[in-house]
Amino acid sequence: MCGIAGFLNITSASPLDEAALRGMTTCLAHRGPDADGFYFDGKVGLGHRRLSILDLSTAANQPMHSHNERYVIIFNGEVYNFHEIAEKLGVPMRTTSDTEVILEAYVRFGPEFVHLMNGMFAIAIYDKQTQTLDIFRDRMGIKPVYYYLDNQIFAFASELKSIVHVPEVKKTLTIDAEAVRHFLHLGYIPRPHSIYSQIRKMDSGSYVRVSGSELTETRYWKLEDQIKDQVISDRQEAKAQLNELLVSSVRYRMIADVPFGTFLSGGVDSSLVTAIAQSVSSTPVKTFSIGFDSAKHNESDYAKAVADKLGTNHHSFQVTYKEAMDTVGTLAGIYDEPFADSSAVPTLMVSKLARQHVTMTLSGDGGDELFHGYGMYTWANRLARQPLRGLRQPAAAVLGQMGNRYKRVAQLVAFPDAKRERSHIFSQEQYLFTETELDKLLQPKWQSKAALREQWQWPAGRTPTAAEKQALFDMQYYLQDDLLVKVDRATMEHSLETRVPLLDYRVVQFALNVAPQLKMHDGESKSLLKDVLYDYLPRSIFQRPKWGFSVPLGTWLKNELHYLIDEHLSAESIESAGFVQYSAVKQLVDRFERGEDYLYNRIWLLIVLHQWLALHRASA
């Protein structure tokens, strides 16, 4: 796991030099504290910050040159099956790192080499002979790539801050109106958007080639292409296949030359990953959990019960509200753009504490999307049924006159139209702004209404349920542009690598083709995943409500964090920023303070947006 940054000077008059490269790379020092490296030939600059995980020797430092000296690589991530690829190549290796294998596979097979790889990666390879640059991103978008292109410069990096650091880029940047609206509706900014119109997020499962002033993008893997006509409907067959895949995936992700552990919340996903890791380990696996003083937001006792049963080397950290709230103030600088997922706070904290013991961790991300663990999937199926679908507007009008719980349901039921149904369900499940609210809230300048793609073609022989459609939407956006971003920035802020076994592409392909009744059965979510889990751990440990990895944000905003409302949602702050109408914000805050507690995430969105703008202006 590392940080990469670089550029290609398109014309001889292009301004970027080695000093610019070093500046970009230094911005990523937290991602790789063990070594830095640079390649600059006047045309291209490649910078690397290394977090040593495999082959800890200096021979594995980057940039690395191919055996034939024609190509140069910088690489962020891990390719887990590099031993098998090395055998396929039959080339004597100089190191025991996956970087060398990746580069020699590219030399042998060209861009098609990417199909051989099982891993998480952002790879840049420069051909010194043709002066072309190829950049590859992994299938599920676990590792980030941002890029900028104008008529003089192509620049790319693992994080936005690295590109924004370049003065020649920074002076051209403007805020993207579509990104602002998406953020207020979803809580994150979906690719290809970033907060800046001129900087894009590279798509998952794709590679870009930059040659001269031309950039071409090729998708080599798409989620929707993995969906088959037939589903696996036999429970025992599906359970056996899933267990085999997960054991393989976890084994791959335990390959490291440094100490590792697992994040263990005590929930289904992290417990299953931990249980499999412990079952194939000859020594107790280190496990890490974090708890808050509020019982509703503290699952550390459940994590300890799992750890005790498995016999792991468990580390449980209890943190105070003050420690958590101090972390809130760092979010805008870490995530570089508006990002409203408040679970970033505990993720940052547990990463900091785990790094005191290990350099690499496994996490359980992906289980909810792949195996239907969210309540919104039940709602998607309900809203698809008649007569509720035809009566949704009258039903919403009635429910809107009732208590807080029913007001929330009223907004969920009143989706605008089928083309925006998936994003609406997600938005309202997360307590965020509806499209109708945004029409009244946003200033005219920010009223862009570009819709996300929400529909994908399913095979002719397959009729998906509404829950399956919703889950695919979440895999395309929420998982990749929120959850994986959250984990990448939080862990790398503390120089900690995190691997995600449930997002092995083989597991993803399998999950997309499991019958929905095996995922949600008799009102139980993630039924198939739990079937596998209960072969490792007693069912009784998990007979409790699902809380998720969260903080008591609504309570904090009424008490310890109220100062953020005063600071960022004042008339002066709102009118100076020019994003939203102050009258609408004041009305929202008044309703929240009078007891409409479910509005807390809308308040938080506005705070995060204006907090980011204050930081943006301060650095201008």
Side-chain angles (χ1 to χ4, degrees):
M1 188 78 73
C2 307
I4 62 173
F7 56 78
L8 190 70
N9 283 320
I10 293 171
T11 70
S12 58
S14 297
L16 300 191
D17 56 16
E18 188 168 358
L21 177 63
R22 289 181 177 272
M24 291 177 70
T25 308
T26 298
C27 289
L28 304 175
H30 55 283
R31 298 184 71 94
D34 296 330
D36 61 9
F38 307 92
Y39 173 82
F40 179 70
D41 67 0
K43 178 74 173 178
V44 72
L46 301 175
H48 188 262
R49 292 292 313 204
R50 186 182 182 198
L51 177 63
S52 302
I53 302 291
L54 295 170
D55 189 340
L56 308 185
S57 74
T58 58
N61 285 353
Q62 301 176 42
M64 183 181 289
H65 294 256
S66 61
H67 293 186
N68 64 11
E69 295 294 329
R70 176 174 170 176
Y71 302 97
V72 188
I73 184 175
I74 52 175
F75 161 49
N76 170 31
E78 305 288 348
V79 170
Y80 308 116
N81 63 333
F82 71 100
H83 288 302
E84 293 97 310
I85 297 172
E87 289 181 10
K88 185 181 183 71
L89 293 173
V91 177
M93 295 294 166
R94 301 166 180 168
T95 71
T96 58
S97 76
D98 53 348
T99 307
E100 183 183 9
V101 175
I102 292 166
L103 184 53
E104 294 309 312
Y106 178 89
V107 172
R108 174 76 61 85
F109 300 109
E112 293 300 308
F113 86 109
V114 72
H115 296 286
L116 298 173
M117 296 195 297
N118 185 337
M120 56 180 188
F121 49 83
I123 302 165
I125 299 176
Y126 179 61
D127 183 341
K128 292 185 278 187
Q129 182 173 305
T130 63
Q131 295 189 323
T132 59
L133 180 67
D134 286 349
I135 304 176
F136 300 83
R137 193 176 184 201
D138 65 72
R139 295 170 179 85
M140 290 300 296
I142 301 169
K143 291 294 97 189
V145 181
Y146 295 83
Y147 68 88
Y148 169 94
L149 177 67
D150 64 19
N151 58 8
Q152 285 193 310
I153 301 167
F154 171 79
F156 68 95
S158 298
E159 296 183 17
L160 262 176
K161 60 172 63 71
S162 178
I163 301 176
V164 175
H165 179 77
V166 179
E168 291 81 2
V169 171
K170 191 172 186 177
K171 67 184 180 183
T172 71
L173 298 179
T174 56
I175 297 173
D176 186 336
E178 291 182 24
V180 170
R181 189 178 181 102
H182 284 319
F183 169 72
L184 292 172
H185 189 47
L186 300 173
Y188 59 90
I189 297 174
R191 67 189 190 291
H193 300 281
S194 81
I195 190 60
Y196 301 109
S197 298
Q198 295 79 11
I199 299 178
R200 298 321 237 184
K201 294 167 183 166
M202 187 171 160
D203 209 345
S204 56
S206 72
Y207 77 90
V208 297
R209 170 164 290 184
V210 185
S211 180
S213 60
E214 293 185 7
L215 183 151
T216 57
E217 183 169 1
T218 303
R219 294 292 305 278
Y220 68 85
W221 195 90
K222 299 178 184 177
L223 269 168
E224 58 270 30
D225 289 348
Q226 313 312 310
I227 302 171
K228 300 176 183 177
D229 286 294
Q230 301 298 317
V231 296
I232 303 168
S233 55
D234 182 272
R235 181 171 288 273
Q236 291 307 310
E237 176 191 350
K239 177 184 172 183
Q241 286 189 38
L242 178 57
N243 183 68
E244 182 180 352
L245 285 169
L246 290 177
V247 170
S248 171
S249 177
V250 171
R251 280 187 183 275
Y252 264 147
R253 285 156 182 80
M254 290 169 66
I255 298 171
D257 295 329
V258 294
F260 84 96
T262 72
F263 288 143
L264 178 59
S265 70
V268 169
D269 305 334
S270 66
S271 296
L272 179 55
V273 168
T274 300
I276 294 174
Q278 187 59 73
S279 74
V280 300
S281 175
S282 59
T283 59
V285 170
K286 293 182 175 68
T287 51
F288 304 95
S289 68
I290 193 169
F292 292 96
D293 297 336
S294 169
K296 181 177 178 181
H297 297 271
N298 190 350
E299 288 192 308
S300 58
D301 288 344
Y302 300 122
K304 185 178 185 304
V306 172
D308 287 346
K309 190 68 178 178
L310 294 174
T312 69
N313 180 3
H314 190 57
H315 303 261
S316 181
F317 307 104
Q318 292 296 314
V319 297
T320 66
Y321 282 167
K322 183 181 185 308
E323 289 173 310
M325 287 183 288
D326 287 345
T327 302
V328 169
T330 69
L331 296 178
I334 292 171
Y335 286 87
D336 297 338
E337 64 181 358
F339 185 78
D341 190 334
S342 61
S343 66
V345 173
T347 306
L348 276 159
M349 299 183 78
V350 75
S351 298
K352 179 180 180 180
L353 295 166
R355 186 62 175 90
Q356 298 172 14
H357 302 271
V358 298
T359 311
M360 184 270 284
T361 53
L362 308 183
S363 81
D365 294 284
D368 287 310
E369 294 78 14
L370 295 180
F371 295 98
H372 295 188
Y374 296 132
M376 75 179 90
Y377 301 144
T378 300
W379 270 110
N381 282 338
R382 287 174 182 165
L383 294 175
R385 300 186 193 121
Q386 295 292 354
L388 180 57
R389 193 170 187 83
L391 297 173
R392 65 183 190 277
Q393 299 301 340
V398 173
L399 292 167
Q401 302 303 310
M402 302 171 70
N404 282 350
R405 179 181 177 186
Y406 295 99
K407 286 178 180 177
R408 226 192 114 214
V409 174
Q411 290 177 316
L412 181 60
V413 168
F415 59 86
D417 59 63
K419 291 181 179 179
R420 294 176 182 243
E421 186 174 352
R422 307 274 79 82
S423 59
H424 174 83
I425 290 173
F426 173 84
S427 175
Q428 294 317 290
E429 182 69 14
Q430 300 288 323
Y431 305 88
L432 309 178
F433 287 107
T434 66
E435 293 277 9
T436 302
E437 288 174 318
L438 289 175
D439 290 340
K440 298 175 183 177
L441 177 71
L442 285 163
Q443 295 277 12
K445 178 181 178 181
W446 306 102
Q447 281 287 357
S448 172
K449 282 195 175 183
L452 290 176
R453 180 182 178 185
E454 299 191 15
Q455 307 284 342
W456 289 272
Q457 187 67 41
W458 291 69
R462 182 102 170 255
T463 302
T465 64
E468 287 181 298
K469 292 178 182 178
Q470 188 70 40
L472 182 59
F473 173 84
D474 288 344
M475 282 183 253
Q476 297 279 12
Y477 298 113
Y478 178 50
L479 177 62
Q480 298 187 46
D481 297 323
D482 182 315
L483 299 180
L484 293 176
V485 171
K486 174 190 70 179
V487 172
D488 176 81
R489 302 305 185 280
T491 55
M492 293 309 294
E493 177 67 14
H494 298 292
S495 306
L496 179 72
E497 173 172 303
T498 295
R499 302 174 177 180
V500 279
L502 295 180
L503 294 182
D504 185 305
Y505 76 93
R506 300 169 301 165
V507 177
V508 174
Q509 288 172 331
F510 168 83
L512 285 169
N513 295 293
V514 168
Q517 63 268 25
L518 299 187
K519 298 179 180 181
M520 299 175 70
H521 180 69
D522 288 341
E524 183 176 48
S525 63
K526 293 196 283 196
S527 178
L528 181 64
L529 205 62
K530 291 175 181 176
D531 280 356
V532 177
L533 173 65
Y534 298 152
D535 281 348
Y536 293 91
L537 287 160
R539 179 187 296 264
S540 59
I541 296 179
F542 304 94
Q543 300 301 300
R544 65 182 192 274
K546 175 184 174 70
W547 289 117
F549 199 36
S550 60
V551 295
L553 184 58
T555 301
W556 288 359
L557 286 173
K558 286 196 170 182
N559 297 283
E560 295 93 340
L561 290 183
H562 195 279
Y563 76 91
L564 292 175
I565 297 176
D566 299 334
E567 179 179 347
H568 295 292
L569 303 189
S570 67
E572 180 182 2
S573 177
I574 294 294
E575 290 168 1
S576 172
F579 287 125
V580 295
Q581 309 276 358
Y582 176 67
S583 59
V585 175
K586 186 177 187 307
Q587 183 182 53
L588 183 71
V589 172
D590 288 345
R591 289 171 59 198
F592 174 64
E593 294 182 340
R594 286 198 305 265
E596 292 187 53
D597 295 346
Y598 71 96
L599 298 174
Y600 75 93
N601 249 1
R602 291 169 171 84
I603 302 289
W604 180 241
L605 283 168
L606 292 169
I607 289 171
V608 169
L609 179 63
H610 290 84
Q611 191 178 45
W612 173 84
L613 183 63
L615 183 66
H616 168 76
R617 286 176 169 174
S619 64

